[in-house]
């Protein structure tokens, strides 16, 4: 079964600098990885995804990189803004009739003004 | 259009009681999934319904159950509550059967506290 690990529970960066959030996985078979962002008292909101056929996906200030040989992906936020302060979840999406999202435990990002 | 609506937002129960949580998906969405979020375990998948059928179930005991109605609204029930059931319960919907490219939209959750 797939495991998704976010080994850093928290990360603090200065406004304007780059934020790099990391995620490791165990099972090489996957369809998509997704990143969700969660503010307190709100549900997670979708941020960006990457499919197994890509190494990189970019959307504005957010870029996700996939290193299949290392079973590692990362989310880069450039430049970081105070409004980016939230918990970021990495999730693996297994497709088909048994679809489910397997989430990591999240990383709390704090962007300091 | 309105997002995913979950009720109640907060509730307190005692051990041994049962609880029912409700979820109204985005209009037109036919798939509803439920997740449990706890500080120690992160978000864990409970079950997913599409067109009133449970298509997938997570590794939770039988005390956790759910259903989906013909209007796509969904409920989940937890019987014989335990202290460890205290969590944020999140509902998410999608237009069709969820897939990698078919992103889930989450509600704000129902915060359950078991005393």
């Amino acid at each position: 079964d797939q495991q998704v690990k976010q080994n850093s529970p928290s990360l603090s960066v200065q406004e304007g600098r780059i934020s790099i959030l990391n995620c490791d996985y165990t099972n090489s078979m996957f369809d998509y990885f997704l990143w969700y962002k969660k503010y307190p008292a709100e549900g997670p909101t979708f941020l960006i995804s990457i499919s197994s056929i890509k190494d990189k996906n970019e959307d504005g200030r957010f870029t996700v990189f996939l290193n299949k040989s290392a079973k590692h992906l990362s989310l880069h936020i450039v430049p970081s803004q105070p409004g980016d302060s939230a918990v970021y979840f990495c999730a693996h999406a297994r497709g088909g009739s048994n679809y489910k999202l397997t989430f990591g435990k999240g990383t709390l990002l704090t962007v300091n003004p | 259009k309105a997002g995913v609506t979950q009720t109640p937002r907060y509730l307190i129960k005692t051990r041994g009681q049962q609880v029912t949580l409700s979820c109204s998906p985005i209009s037109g969405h036919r798939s509803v999934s439920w997740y449990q979020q706890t500080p120690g375990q992160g978000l864990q998948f409970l079950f997913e319904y599409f067109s009133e059928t449970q298509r997938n179930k997570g590794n939770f005991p039988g005390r956790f159950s759910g259903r989906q109605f013909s209007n796509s609204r969904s409920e989940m029930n937890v019987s014989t509550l335990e202290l460890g059931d205290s969590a944020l319960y999140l509902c998410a919907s999608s237009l069709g059967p969820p897939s990698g490219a078919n992103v889930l939209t989450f509600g704000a959750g129902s915060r359950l506290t078991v005393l």
Side-chain angles (χ1 to χ4, degrees):
Chain A
D1 212 10
Q2 179 70 273
Q3 289 189 32
V4 176
K5 298 179 182 179
Q6 294 178 259
N7 293 319
S8 298
S10 63
L11 174 68
S12 182
V13 301
Q14 286 299 120
E15 180 178 6
R17 307 293 289 270
I18 183 172
S19 294
I20 300 177
L21 299 135
N22 295 302
C23 180
D24 297 305
Y25 60 93
T26 56
N27 191 327
S28 296
M29 299 295 292
F30 68 92
D31 295 316
Y32 282 84
F33 277 100
L34 301 89
W35 285 93
Y36 278 82
K37 178 171 70 174
K38 186 179 185 301
Y39 294 116
E42 296 183 13
T45 55
F46 170 74
L47 195 56
I48 191 170
S49 66
I50 187 166
S51 76
S52 58
I53 63 173
K54 292 188 175 182
D55 298 320
K56 173 184 173 182
N57 190 27
E58 189 173 357
D59 184 3
R61 297 186 296 113
F62 302 91
T63 303
V64 57
F65 296 93
L66 177 62
N67 184 333
K68 291 185 271 293
S69 61
K71 298 183 182 178
H72 177 84
L73 72 158
S74 60
L75 174 68
H76 292 210
I77 306 174
V78 182
S80 301
Q81 301 173 353
D84 296 328
S85 297
V87 177
Y88 288 79
F89 291 97
C90 169
H92 161 252
R94 182 183 69 190
S97 60
N98 291 324
Y99 180 91
K100 71 172 184 178
L101 288 176
T102 301
F103 285 87
K105 294 186 178 181
T107 297
L108 173 62
L109 172 66
T110 303
V111 180
N112 302 303
Chain B
K1 58 183 177 181
V4 178
T5 303
Q6 293 188 244
T7 56
R9 289 293 310 276
Y10 303 92
L11 67 165
I12 300 174
K13 293 284 188 177
T14 57
R15 280 180 297 175
Q17 288 187 310
Q18 67 92 27
V19 65
T20 299
L21 308 177
S22 179
C23 172
S24 293
I26 291 173
S27 178
H29 283 196
R30 295 170 61 194
S31 171
V32 172
S33 302
W34 289 88
Y35 289 82
Q36 180 197 63
Q37 184 186 10
T38 59
Q41 297 298 322
L43 282 86
Q44 293 188 292
F45 173 74
L46 281 157
F47 22 67
E48 184 255 327
Y49 290 87
F50 180 76
S51 294
E52 301 179 66
T53 300
Q54 185 183 91
R55 298 190 331 135
N56 196 11
K57 189 176 190 299
N59 297 322
F60 279 82
R63 300 184 297 107
F64 291 80
S65 63
R67 58 179 175 169
Q68 186 181 33
F69 302 95
S70 58
N71 62 358
S72 294
R73 192 178 68 86
S74 178
E75 289 181 347
M76 66 163 285
N77 184 277
V78 187
S79 62
T80 319
L81 284 166
E82 301 176 359
L83 296 179
D85 298 332
S86 295
L88 180 66
Y89 290 88
L90 292 160
C91 169
S93 74
S94 62
L95 186 61
S99 67
N102 194 3
V103 173
L104 299 182
T105 301
F106 284 84
S110 293
R111 171 75 64 183
L112 170 65
T113 301
V114 182
L115 302 176

